[in-house]
Amino acid sequence: MERRRVRAAVLGALALVAGSLALTPETGSASVTASAPASAPVRAERSTPEAGFEDVLAIGGLSEPVGAAFAPDGTAFLALKTGLIKSFDPSGGGFEAAGTSTDFADLTAEVNNYGDRGLTGITVDPRFPARPYVYVNYTYDKDPVTGGTWGTGQAYDNCGPDDANEATLSPPTRGCPVQVRVSRLTATRGALGWVMQPGSELVLVQNGCAQFSSHASGDVAFGPDGKLYASAGDGGSFKGQDYGQANVPTGAPAYPQGPACPNDPTDEGGSLRAQDQRTGGDPLSVDGTIFRLNPDTPLNVQQGTADQWLVALGQRNPWRFTFRQGKEQLWSVDVGSSNFEEINQLVDAPTTGLVNRGWPCYEGVTGRSQVNTAWQALGKPLCTGLYGEGLGAVQAPVFAYPTTNGNRTATVPLTPGENCPAVSSSMSGIAFSALGSDWPAAYQDALYFSDFLRGCLWRMGKDANGQPNPADIHPFVQAAGSPVDILPGPGGDLYYVDYGSFTDAGYVQGSGGLHRIDHVGGTGLTVKSKPAKVKIKVDGKRHKAPWSTELARGTVVKLVAPRAHRIKGHRFVFVKWKGLDLGKKAAKKRKVTVTVGAEELVVKAVYRKVRSRR
């Protein structure tokens, strides 16, 4: 049965309209426009962050942003899927506006921007600017067999004329194979900001083969060991079980008969490239893996040294990963097929031996690997052999949730009552919040993750040992647009990249941006009474006035004043509330509901003394 992923379909449709994007071609130029947004950050109105937090649009006006990185000097580097990288200088506690930003680098000619493909990962050297390097992970526009390119090197690269060569499984056709590239770019400070030194791209990895429009390049980040880590998808089809059968030459120019990806043995192509390390009859590739390398030396991808550079295999699309600060834990997301979205962990990434996550032979539920029955039925030797090794041969995910419901018509909510509706799912970001910030202790060093299609961010609570607890999930930002990356940043806050919005006509240009989640703290609530010492119910619990507390913004509080009160034999009856904007009639009701805002709230229950009868 065909299993079409909605995310790939959406991004594919998005790429079709991306050709009309207006990009500034000259590296280092400042693209100032009359409609440039103000540099002051503004509150993101459409999203709903958890009470006590605020979603601030730190940088707006971007088209197709997919990744961000912060330099130690406060500069923000934003990667656009098309291949353009923009740098934003710090300004006024935030960043300069998009209209005055600097085009750091233009890699549109090198990047294949088609479907999920594009410039997808970016990071900055931890010792920047002493080591003035920016690192990127992107889909390289080069056919590994013919050496040719696809498209025109502009904002959108098609798959042959009008996508005539797009690979399919029924009937199988060759498609438009490309590779994954990880590079180091040298930055230099120009008059307008940081720019890439011309001709400075050092290619560290150029490998793999992505035949279809999905599951190609992934993320890039530095580990605690000083090594550079990167990820790559399996390069297979999202439409079904792809084992390399789509290799028939089609279109022009003519292709040599045989595998679309070089050296793919029979029944070891497509998604099965994620298990390539388990075979020795063909050259090893980085497809479906997380790997590490020296940040200054090109990696020699070969089987004999795989235990030195290969970290994890058997992954479908490890789109994002992160290291927990102060520890050597590597956490990553794996975008699922039609079954489960996964979060995986390596407790000690620099020293742990190579692990196999099992894809495509297995997909995991929380804490347990599960046989992928669609692949089991095919009887391919790579999966059959892995099943024979037992569950101990694969590592189960720490957390997983269903991609969609049983009849594939809607998603299953992660938490009751959340506002994250979608037909399918696509995990898109993962990060730990900073330690030592002004965030509450429970929110510091906590794990956060996002879903592109559901449009939400969640927080994973902690267990008694301070470790992420997959049984304790909380919605953190709802209606967050199309989040594609999460990362800690300046001020100790958490940031996320919103890819942008869509209409029936396609992608809305300039609708993407970088958001900052700011902890705004609690708002003071003081309850008084006249006369004093009246016991007033606050959310069902009696407190003797005056009484004060601090509550998160947006908290709804129920106040109930007693009908009467006695002091030293004197009787007082309730008259009205003061300090609440309720109107005369509503202020005379003993039971009121108030919503805590940004300003301190002081309310008073006023009573009138009743004369005793003689």
Side-chain angles (χ1 to χ4, degrees), residues 188-265:
T188 183
R189 184 70 186 182
L192 300 174
W194 290 103
V195 296
M196 173 185 163
Q197 181 179 318
S200 68
E201 180 178 10
L202 173 64
V203 178
L204 299 173
V205 174
Q206 184 176 306
N207 191 263
C209 181
Q211 184 177 354
F212 284 77
S213 60
S214 55
H215 315 163
S217 55
D219 209 358
V220 61
F222 274 87
D225 53 355
K227 294 290 184 68
L228 188 69
Y229 287 68
S231 63
D234 64 9
S237 172
F238 58 85
K239 297 180 180 180
Q241 289 70 53
D242 176 13
Y243 47 86
Q245 68 269 43
N247 61 3
V248 179
T250 61
Y255 298 105
Q257 185 68 39
C261 293
N263 304 309
D264 267 356

Side-chain angles (χ1 to χ4, degrees), residues 358-375:
W359 173 261
C361 314
Y362 288 92
E363 276 194 276
V365 297
T366 299
R368 178 169 56 87
S369 296
Q370 185 169 284
V371 169
N372 189 332
T373 55
W375 278 88

Side-chain angles (χ1 to χ4, degrees), residues 586-605:
K588 294 180 180 180
K589 294 183 178 181
R590 296 185 303 109
K591 301 178 181 180
V592 295
T593 299
V594 298
T595 301
V596 177
E599 302 296 328
E600 183 179 3
L601 188 61
V602 179
V603 300
K604 181 185 289 187

Side-chain angles (χ1 to χ4, degrees), residues 34-46:
S35 60
S39 59
V42 296
R43 183 177 180 181
E45 296 295 339
R46 69 180 180 184

Side-chain angles (χ1 to χ4, degrees), residues 71-413:
D73 68 352
T75 302
F77 291 88
L78 271 293
L80 309 188
K81 185 171 174 286
T82 56
L84 190 67
I85 303 172
K86 301 180 77 68
S87 68
F88 294 79
D89 289 338
S91 174
F95 303 96
E96 64 178 319
T100 58
S101 63
T102 304
D103 290 342
F104 172 78
D106 186 351
L107 301 177
T108 53
E110 290 81 9
V111 170
N112 182 266
N113 179 32
Y114 176 58
D116 283 5
R117 300 171 178 178
L119 171 56
T120 56
I122 186 170
T123 194
V124 178
D125 195 290
R127 289 188 282 163
F128 188 97
R131 283 179 50 85
Y133 303 126
V134 175
Y135 296 84
V136 290
N137 188 346
Y138 64 87
T139 309
Y140 181 47
D141 192 12
K142 181 179 180 180
D143 189 313
V145 173
T146 68
T149 60
W150 302 97
T152 59
Q154 299 300 313
Y156 169 66
D157 296 305
N158 57 18
C159 187
D162 299 319
D163 296 326
N165 297 327
E166 165 65 340
T168 62
L169 295 178
S170 181
T173 56
R174 185 179 188 275
C176 46
V178 289
Q179 295 182 293
V180 169
R181 178 183 271 191
V182 178
S183 293
R184 189 191 76 182
L185 314 177
T186 301
T188 183
R189 184 70 186 182
L192 300 174
W194 290 103
V195 296
M196 173 185 163
Q197 181 179 318
S200 68
E201 180 178 10
L202 173 64
V203 178
L204 299 173
V205 174
Q206 184 176 306
N207 191 263
C209 181
Q211 184 177 354
F212 284 77
S213 60
S214 55
H215 315 163
S217 55
D219 209 358
V220 61
F222 274 87
D225 53 355
K227 294 290 184 68
L228 188 69
Y229 287 68
S231 63
D234 64 9
S237 172
F238 58 85
K239 297 180 180 180
Q241 289 70 53
D242 176 13
Y243 47 86
Q245 68 269 43
N247 61 3
V248 179
T250 61
Y255 298 105
Q257 185 68 39
C261 293
N263 304 309
D264 267 356
T266 301
D267 290 345
E268 292 184 10
S271 296
L272 287 170
R273 296 190 197 101
Q275 295 293 327
D276 200 20
Q277 193 271 342
R278 297 176 50 241
T279 68
D282 60 310
L284 186 58
S285 78
V286 299
D287 293 328
T289 72
I290 297 176
F291 54 97
R292 59 175 167 250
L293 60 151
N294 185 308
D296 299 315
T297 306
L299 176 66
N300 184 10
V301 178
Q302 57 179 333
Q303 187 75 257
T305 59
D307 59 338
Q308 299 174 24
W309 57 268
L310 197 54
V311 177
L313 63 95
Q315 304 216 225
R316 182 176 185 266
N317 189 7
W319 172 259
R320 291 286 178 252
F321 62 84
T322 188
F323 285 92
R324 191 176 187 181
Q325 57 186 321
K327 303 181 185 299
E328 297 186 336
Q329 299 174 5
L330 172 60
W331 294 74
S332 61
V333 303
D334 200 355
V335 183
S337 179
S338 297
N339 296 321
F340 299 99
E341 309 295 305
E342 298 180 3
I343 291 180
N344 295 290
Q345 178 203 14
L346 279 176
V347 176
D348 189 347
T351 59
T352 300
L354 176 63
V355 299
N356 188 347
R357 266 71 190 257
W359 173 261
C361 314
Y362 288 92
E363 276 194 276
V365 297
T366 299
R368 178 169 56 87
S369 296
Q370 185 169 284
V371 169
N372 189 332
T373 55
W375 278 88
Q376 184 183 40
L378 293 176
K380 300 303 177 184
L382 272 175
C383 283
T384 301
L386 189 58
Y387 298 144
E389 296 178 31
L391 287 176
V394 294
Q395 185 190 62
V398 173
F399 174 67
Y401 59 88
T403 298
T404 186
N405 62 8
N407 53 13
R408 309 190 189 285
T409 58
T411 53
V412 179

